[in-house]
Amino acid sequence: MNQTMPNWLYQRSLLTPDRQAVQYEDQVLTFKQLYGQSVQRAEKLANLGVRKSNHIGVYMTNSLDMVLNIHALFHLGAVVVFLNTKLSARELQYQIEDSKLQFVIMDDHFEEVLSFLSNQKKISMSKVYDLDLLKNTMNAREVVLSNVATMMYTSGTTGRPKAVLQTYENHWWSAVGSALNLGLDHRDCWLVTVPLFHISGLSILIRSMIYGIKIIVHDKFDPVLTNAAIMNEKVTIISVVNTMLQLMIEDLKEVYPPSFRCMLVGGGPVDDFLLEQCKKREIPVYQTYGMTETCSQIATLSPESSMVKLGSAGKPLFPCQIKIMNDGKLCPANQVGEITVKGLNVTRGYYSGTTRAFHEGWFFTGDLGYLDEEGFLYVVDRRSDLIISGGENIYPVEIEQVLQSHPEVIEAGVVGEKHSIWGQVPVAFVVLESTVDTKVLQDFCYQRLAKYKIPKKIYVMDRLPRNATNKLLRHKLKDIQHD
Amino acid sequence: MNQTMPNWLYQRSLLTPDRQAVQYEDQVLTFKQLYGQSVQRAEKLANLGVRKSNHIGVYMTNSLDMVLNIHALFHLGAVVVFLNTKLSARELQYQIEDSKLQFVIMDDHFEEVLSFLSNQKKISMSKVYDLDLLKNTMNAREVVLSNVATMMYTSGTTGRPKAVLQTYENHWWSAVGSALNLGLDHRDCWLVTVPLFHISGLSILIRSMIYGIKIIVHDKFDPVLTNAAIMNEKVTIISVVNTMLQLMIEDLKEVYPPSFRCMLVGGGPVDDFLLEQCKKREIPVYQTYGMTETCSQIATLSPESSMVKLGSAGKPLFPCQIKIMNDGKLCPANQVGEITVKGLNVTRGYYSGTTRAFHEGWFFTGDLGYLDEEGFLYVVDRRSDLIISGGENIYPVEIEQVLQSHPEVIEAGVVGEKHSIWGQVPVAFVVLESTVDTKVLQDFCYQRLAKYKIPKKIYVMDRLPRNATNKLLRHKLKDIQHD
């Protein structure tokens, strides 16, 4: 029999109707109000023909409207497909077609980017406001845990973005696993300055319902406003990536209030220097390892261990397991291999079909790392070639394919270069048919890729380092950089 | 595919090896020690032939050994069948046969009560200590959530005790549902003075593993020792029933420390007078409704609501649903009907087979109650005829059947009578063949029933009130008492 639960937001509004649920700019809604408004929003969207299991795109920057749309689509039993607002029109077009979207709900100002879509396929917020209510269309009085709730795109080593299927069950276990690790207090308030279209942001919205805690939503990250919110608005937890933490520290003049209990940092280990600064300012840093496929954290390092286990991402969450594999064999402690994870928060696969990454309930992340004798995880390299730039994942092969599609480029290789603000930025190595200004190649990329993916430098080479089977050896490119 | 998790105690010992797990008398074990000792215990029990899915009885009073036995049996993948230590030999014999026990692990001093069992069928703790270790017999590296973990007997309206199947899933969702309501702090310490063979006690042991918190185990309830533990041992939560709370208040000279955050009271609403006394002493009383079939709480009333919602058992836990049914129809707010519950903490049925109590995922509790317009549950009557005496459930029909088996008794009816200490005690009404001293009947019961079930008074009647279909009208017996 299908496992079910009461509709999460309904249940929360029944249990704690008067607690604050969400704050955005000068608007604050209680759970009862949020539920009421999201049901109204659902009745509007139902008028557009949204029904159970339909795939609906959300292409918005963080806002109360985005929050309401997400809840409304959950009420209708639709699958919410999140589109990264930084993508190029070509990238968007691919994802919209691949995920078979019925339509995309967008902020008005995104109209132009989606010019390739017909008017029935893109619904601006202005249009949504004007819709009549189609009453009694709430489908999801119960949550069926095995149903897909959301889809988010991630690129694999193949470079083709794939939609990760995230079920209600995945989200539930992620939220519960996190609470069992971080503890739970109904006075918690979680600040959302990361995008809701990323799992880092969405997972906070979902925890809010399940825990009954308030979230404060910022439309984008600003270190000054973020610090101000922590100082003055009783924020107790925030999710950030390395880059953000660094900017916050640079801006911070005082110490955070003692009620601020958790700085959850994803996207790679925090370096010693930054960690030392955090310690000096008594900031409780929890370093974490997770990905879209694990619906947020799968391992987290508590502050007590951060100085003794420098560079570690901590231990698995209670419901999760981590093992290190190499050539089908389990690696002993301290030996590097592929990080392999299991847990009910882990996706069952991609919309376009499962891959070799899933085996007997275990997901092979493609990331390299090891476990020490005490079970602490150390991530050595994300997916061997993944570049993380300001919290965004960049897959080299995606950029390489674009470069190679230029008539004058014979072959291309992309790697990450250290960057003081973004952590890493992509740089490219190309072999050319004839002389071309690298500026032309960057412009070529600009038309096809999100801005953060455009190589910041392009080096022209005679040939690229390849192994006997002609596989590009990206680590050799890194060596070239270091020369 | 079967949902799995890492072995709970293993995972806890991996994540927080050095946190205190359990305290009993002058012994304190960390999670690492508890795990190590429970694995050793498992290796001893394996030497007795315990294998996966075997039914093993535990007939013990609270102790560290009992805790170790429970964990050890979980490690072996065995089903732990709990036997109430207050039962008579006849009652025990029935349950041991019905649940097809391979053997019973018992405290040494229970040897005599189980004289009806062969020596292979009863294993005293002295015998367990002497066993050799059968190494590498740990079966349960993973918990399969749908597997049955424990069985506990409860009587229905039929009077035949039935074994409730409690899966790992049921226990998990119960623990998580409770944490989402009460909050979670790794510094919590939960005092166990209720029996571990009841779900009220066992559920605390399970929460301890999942939450990573300490439990202090007392072998029995003593109000003075309980108050001392709260005052001096950093206890933050305790589970009690009405009767216990009253005795604690009578003994209490001071106020509990502010770190004591939750007095969880089961077994019926706390009366106004007692609640008023608790308020005066700033005791945070959480009234709760639950049963063996729901693996502990399914609804809980928070202290903020206790004075405005006098007599209520609160709202459902987050993962749970409650509806009130009457003749197959949903009752509107404030109308009394049968309390019907749903949730992944709810048993899938009894060992002897499911009954009409389960329908489309809903469990019909047999208890009467209503929901007010805000969704607060009021329990009007437990299973219409259930008697709760000092936290123990007494089913009248069980006592009636014993009385009727006496040659001089024609018919018998049993109801609860108010009692200042125990809340209620059973009293009987009998129609006799010829004159018998009621003392004789009480002795007759004494040989066949647990002490708390023996009618404190027996009234001789000419006939019992019955309806047209000859059904005993117990409420009319109550009216007779009130005359």
Side-chain angles (χ1 to χ4, degrees):
Chain A
M1 202 175 66
N2 279 329
Q3 292 186 326
T4 61
M5 287 181 67
N7 174 305
W8 291 346
L9 189 56
Y10 165 76
Q11 182 79 345
R12 181 45 67 193
S13 77
L14 170 73
L15 299 187
T16 57
D18 302 322
R19 274 194 209 161
Q20 294 191 355
V22 57
Q23 176 181 327
Y24 176 73
E25 293 178 347
D26 55 356
Q27 294 164 285
V28 181
L29 298 187
T30 63
F31 280 104
K32 192 177 172 182
Q33 291 166 332
L34 177 61
Y35 177 68
Q37 292 196 21
S38 63
V39 167
Q40 275 215 336
R41 180 65 54 88
E43 289 171 347
K44 285 187 180 241
L45 295 178
N47 223 340
L48 292 171
V50 181
R51 298 293 179 269
K52 226 178 146 198
S53 308
N54 288 169
H55 291 191
I56 309 296
V58 169
Y59 181 51
M60 301 178 73
T61 49
N62 288 0
S63 65
L64 186 57
D65 269 322
M66 186 173 184
V67 169
L68 288 172
N69 288 341
I70 296 168
H71 287 303
L73 291 168
F74 287 163
H75 291 329
L76 294 170
V79 176
V80 188
V81 181
F82 289 96
L83 299 168
N84 186 325
T85 57
K86 296 181 197 148
L87 296 184
S88 70
R90 279 182 201 228
E91 291 170 311
L92 287 167
Q93 189 164 12
Y94 173 79
Q95 296 187 8
I96 289 167
E97 280 165 18
D98 180 69
S99 59
K100 304 194 174 65
L101 295 192
Q102 187 157 322
F103 61 81
V104 177
I105 308 174
M106 60 177 184
D107 289 322
D108 288 22
H109 64 274
F110 284 134
E111 178 98 42
E112 207 178 326
V113 188
L114 296 187
S115 57
F116 58 89
L117 283 184
S118 68
N119 280 335
Q120 289 94 322
K121 284 275 200 178
K122 53 184 173 190
I123 310 295
S124 68
M125 280 313 301
S126 307
K127 264 193 242 172
V128 172
Y129 297 144
D130 288 345
L131 289 165
D132 291 327
L133 304 180
L134 189 62
K135 284 282 183 190
N136 302 316
T137 42
M138 167 105 171
N139 289 314
R141 302 222 161 264
E142 286 196 338
V143 164
V144 178
L145 288 177
S146 60
N147 281 356
V148 175
T150 51
M151 281 164 54
M152 287 180 185
Y153 275 83
T154 176
S155 296
T157 42
T158 61
R160 267 183 81 131
K162 292 171 292 185
V164 178
L165 301 172
Q166 299 165 327
T167 60
Y168 286 97
E169 177 169 86
N170 295 150
H171 288 301
W172 172 265
W173 285 80
S174 170
V176 168
S178 178
L180 290 174
N181 184 45
L182 301 179
L184 187 61
D185 189 317
H186 65 88
R187 293 160 300 186
D188 273 331
C189 171
W190 207 311
L191 180 59
V192 185
T193 68
V194 286
L196 287 167
F197 61 70
H198 272 327
I199 190 60
S200 54
L202 179 69
S203 60
I204 305 172
L205 176 143
I206 286 170
R207 290 182 199 115
S208 162
M209 282 190 276
I210 295 173
Y211 302 170
I213 63 167
K214 179 182 176 178
I215 57 176
I216 298 179
V217 177
H218 285 186
D219 55 356
K220 62 176 186 300
F221 172 71
D222 176 298
V224 179
L225 297 179
T226 300
N227 279 337
I230 297 177
M231 297 307 293
N232 310 322
E233 310 217 49
K234 295 187 182 143
V235 168
T236 63
I237 313 183
I238 184 174
S239 303
V240 298
V241 295
N242 253 308
T243 314
M244 294 160 67
L245 176 58
Q246 196 177 323
L247 297 171
M248 286 164 70
I249 297 284
E250 282 169 17
D251 170 70
L252 188 64
K253 276 119 203 142
E254 314 153 76
V255 291
Y256 294 131
S259 55
F260 178 72
R261 69 181 188 88
C262 173
M263 173 80 75
L264 194 65
V265 188
V270 180
D271 68 44
D272 313 9
F273 179 69
L274 189 53
L275 209 53
E276 202 56 71
Q277 286 181 295
C278 288
K279 213 192 155 185
K280 218 176 283 173
R281 287 150 192 264
E282 293 167 20
I283 301 172
V285 173
Y286 290 75
Q287 295 174 78
T288 180
Y289 169 68
M291 61 209 81
T292 310
E293 285 92 338
T294 61
C295 274
S296 174
Q297 311 159 62
I298 192 144
T300 299
L301 183 72
S302 60
E304 307 92 69
S305 305
S306 65
M307 296 312 286
V308 273
K309 297 286 179 182
L310 268 179
S312 169
K315 290 179 181 176
L317 297 189
F318 190 85
C320 305
Q321 297 179 72
I322 297 178
K323 63 182 182 184
I324 306 295
M325 298 295 288
N326 199 359
D327 270 343
K329 287 199 206 82
L330 198 65
C331 293
N334 298 311
Q335 189 179 306
V336 173
E338 184 170 4
I339 302 171
T340 309
V341 300
K342 186 176 179 179
L344 291 163
N345 56 321
V346 177
T347 180
R348 64 171 179 245
Y350 302 102
Y351 181 54
S352 41
T354 54
T355 68
R356 65 133 214 130
F358 299 90
H359 186 64
E360 292 182 351
W362 289 89
F363 169 58
F364 287 72
T365 64
D367 295 338
L368 296 178
Y370 64 91
L371 294 166
D372 72 9
E373 9 344 69
E374 291 180 80
F376 284 88
L377 174 69
Y378 290 77
V379 182
V380 172
D381 215 347
R382 289 299 293 253
R383 278 194 205 193
S384 62
D385 54 5
L386 177 66
I387 302 164
I388 304 183
S389 185
E392 292 284 355
N393 289 351
I394 303 175
Y395 298 87
V397 71
E398 203 181 344
I399 305 171
E400 289 161 4
Q401 282 173 355
V402 168
L403 284 168
Q404 279 160 196
S405 71
H406 187 281
E408 298 302 329
V409 174
I410 300 172
E411 51 177 352
V414 171
V415 294
E417 191 175 86
K418 275 212 168 179
H419 189 275
S420 59
I421 303 281
W422 305 115
Q424 284 184 295
V425 290
V427 298
F429 297 79
V430 292
V431 178
L432 297 178
E433 192 77 47
S434 60
T435 313
V436 190
D437 190 337
T438 54
K439 184 78 183 58
V440 172
L441 294 179
Q442 283 176 320
D443 284 347
F444 185 78
C445 288
Y446 188 73
Q447 291 157 38
R448 287 159 179 82
L449 292 168
K451 209 169 156 191
Y452 62 87
K453 296 179 188 169
I454 297 162
K456 297 300 165 281
K457 293 179 203 155
I458 299 183
Y459 301 97
V460 180
M461 312 276 287
D462 290 336
R463 59 181 186 82
L464 297 186
R466 292 186 180 273
N467 70 5
T469 59
N470 211 33
K471 196 173 174 293
L472 179 65
L473 300 171
R474 290 200 187 83
H475 64 272
K476 296 243 171 177
L477 291 175
K478 291 201 176 186
D479 294 344
I480 295 170
Q481 288 178 271
H482 295 148
D483 289 348
Chain B
M1 202 177 64
N2 278 329
Q3 293 186 326
T4 60
M5 288 182 68
N7 174 304
W8 290 346
L9 188 56
Y10 166 77
Q11 182 79 346
R12 181 46 65 193
S13 77
L14 170 74
L15 299 186
T16 56
D18 302 323
R19 274 194 210 159
Q20 294 192 354
V22 58
Q23 175 180 327
Y24 176 72
E25 293 178 347
D26 55 355
Q27 295 163 286
V28 181
L29 298 188
T30 64
F31 280 105
K32 192 177 172 183
Q33 292 166 332
L34 178 61
Y35 177 68
Q37 293 196 19
S38 64
V39 167
Q40 276 214 337
R41 180 64 53 88
E43 290 171 346
K44 285 187 180 241
L45 295 178
N47 223 340
L48 291 171
V50 180
R51 297 293 178 268
K52 227 180 143 192
S53 307
N54 289 169
H55 292 191
I56 309 295
V58 169
Y59 180 52
M60 301 177 73
T61 49
N62 288 1
S63 66
L64 186 56
D65 270 322
M66 186 174 183
V67 169
L68 288 171
N69 288 340
I70 295 169
H71 287 303
L73 291 168
F74 287 164
H75 292 329
L76 294 170
V79 176
V80 188
V81 181
F82 289 96
L83 299 168
N84 185 325
T85 58
K86 295 182 199 149
L87 297 184
S88 69
R90 277 181 201 231
E91 291 169 311
L92 287 167
Q93 189 164 9
Y94 174 78
Q95 296 187 9
I96 289 167
E97 280 166 18
D98 181 68
S99 59
K100 303 194 176 62
L101 295 192
Q102 187 157 319
F103 59 81
V104 176
I105 308 174
M106 60 176 183
D107 289 322
D108 288 21
H109 64 273
F110 284 133
E111 179 96 42
E112 208 179 326
V113 188
L114 297 187
S115 57
F116 57 88
L117 283 184
S118 68
N119 280 335
Q120 288 94 320
K121 283 275 200 179
K122 54 183 172 190
I123 311 293
S124 67
M125 281 313 300
S126 306
K127 266 194 243 174
V128 171
Y129 297 144
D130 289 344
L131 289 165
D132 291 328
L133 303 179
L134 189 62
K135 285 281 182 188
N136 304 316
T137 42
M138 168 105 171
N139 290 312
R141 301 222 163 264
E142 286 196 336
V143 164
V144 177
L145 289 177
S146 60
N147 282 356
V148 175
T150 50
M151 282 164 53
M152 286 180 185
Y153 275 83
T154 175
S155 295
T157 41
T158 61
R160 267 181 82 130
K162 292 171 293 186
V164 178
L165 301 172
Q166 298 166 327
T167 61
Y168 286 97
E169 178 169 86
N170 297 149
H171 287 303
W172 172 265
W173 285 80
S174 170
V176 168
S178 178
L180 290 173
N181 184 45
L182 300 179
L184 187 60
D185 189 314
H186 65 88
R187 294 161 299 186
D188 274 331
C189 172
W190 206 310
L191 180 59
V192 185
T193 66
V194 287
L196 287 167
F197 60 71
H198 271 326
I199 189 61
S200 55
L202 179 69
S203 61
I204 305 172
L205 176 144
I206 287 170
R207 290 182 200 116
S208 163
M209 283 190 276
I210 294 173
Y211 303 170
I213 63 166
K214 179 182 175 177
I215 57 175
I216 298 179
V217 177
H218 285 185
D219 55 357
K220 60 175 189 299
F221 171 72
D222 175 298
V224 179
L225 297 178
T226 300
N227 279 337
I230 296 176
M231 297 307 293
N232 310 322
E233 311 216 50
K234 295 185 182 147
V235 167
T236 63
I237 313 183
I238 184 174
S239 302
V240 298
V241 296
N242 253 309
T243 314
M244 294 161 68
L245 177 57
Q246 196 178 324
L247 296 172
M248 286 164 69
I249 296 285
E250 282 169 19
D251 169 70
L252 188 64
K253 274 119 205 140
E254 315 152 76
V255 291
Y256 294 131
S259 54
F260 177 73
R261 69 182 188 87
C262 172
M263 174 79 75
L264 194 64
V265 189
V270 180
D271 68 44
D272 312 11
F273 178 69
L274 190 53
L275 209 54
E276 201 57 70
Q277 284 180 296
C278 289
K279 212 189 157 188
K280 218 175 282 172
R281 287 149 191 263
E282 293 167 19
I283 301 171
V285 172
Y286 290 75
Q287 294 175 79
T288 180
Y289 170 67
M291 61 209 81
T292 310
E293 285 91 337
T294 61
C295 274
S296 176
Q297 311 160 60
I298 192 146
T300 300
L301 183 73
S302 60
E304 307 91 71
S305 305
S306 65
M307 296 313 286
V308 273
K309 298 286 179 181
L310 267 180
S312 169
K315 290 179 180 176
L317 298 189
F318 190 85
C320 306
Q321 298 179 71
I322 297 177
K323 63 183 183 183
I324 305 295
M325 297 296 287
N326 199 356
D327 270 344
K329 288 200 204 82
L330 198 64
C331 293
N334 298 312
Q335 189 179 308
V336 174
E338 184 170 5
I339 301 171
T340 309
V341 300
K342 187 176 179 178
L344 291 162
N345 57 321
V346 178
T347 180
R348 63 172 179 246
Y350 302 102
Y351 181 56
S352 41
T354 54
T355 67
R356 65 134 214 128
F358 299 90
H359 186 63
E360 292 180 352
W362 290 89
F363 170 57
F364 287 71
T365 64
D367 294 337
L368 297 178
Y370 63 92
L371 294 166
D372 72 9
E373 359 358 62
E374 291 179 80
F376 283 88
L377 175 69
Y378 290 77
V379 182
V380 172
D381 215 345
R382 289 298 294 254
R383 276 193 206 192
S384 62
D385 55 7
L386 177 67
I387 302 164
I388 303 183
S389 184
E392 293 284 356
N393 290 349
I394 302 174
Y395 299 88
V397 71
E398 205 181 343
I399 305 170
E400 289 161 4
Q401 282 173 356
V402 168
L403 282 168
Q404 279 159 198
S405 72
H406 188 280
E408 296 304 327
V409 175
I410 300 172
E411 52 177 351
V414 171
V415 294
E417 189 175 85
K418 276 209 169 180
H419 189 274
S420 60
I421 304 280
W422 305 114
Q424 284 185 295
V425 288
V427 297
F429 297 80
V430 291
V431 178
L432 298 178
E433 191 75 48
S434 60
T435 313
V436 190
D437 189 338
T438 54
K439 186 75 182 56
V440 173
L441 294 178
Q442 283 175 320
D443 284 346
F444 185 78
C445 289
Y446 189 73
Q447 291 157 37
R448 286 157 181 84
L449 292 168
K451 208 170 156 191
Y452 62 85
K453 296 179 188 170
I454 298 163
K456 297 301 165 280
K457 292 179 204 157
I458 300 183
Y459 301 97
V460 180
M461 312 276 288
D462 289 335
R463 58 181 188 83
L464 298 185
R466 292 187 181 273
N467 70 5
T469 60
N470 211 34
K471 196 173 174 294
L472 179 65
L473 300 171
R474 290 200 188 83
H475 64 272
K476 295 244 170 174
L477 291 176
K478 291 200 177 187
D479 294 343
I480 296 170
Q481 288 177 269
H482 294 147
D483 289 349

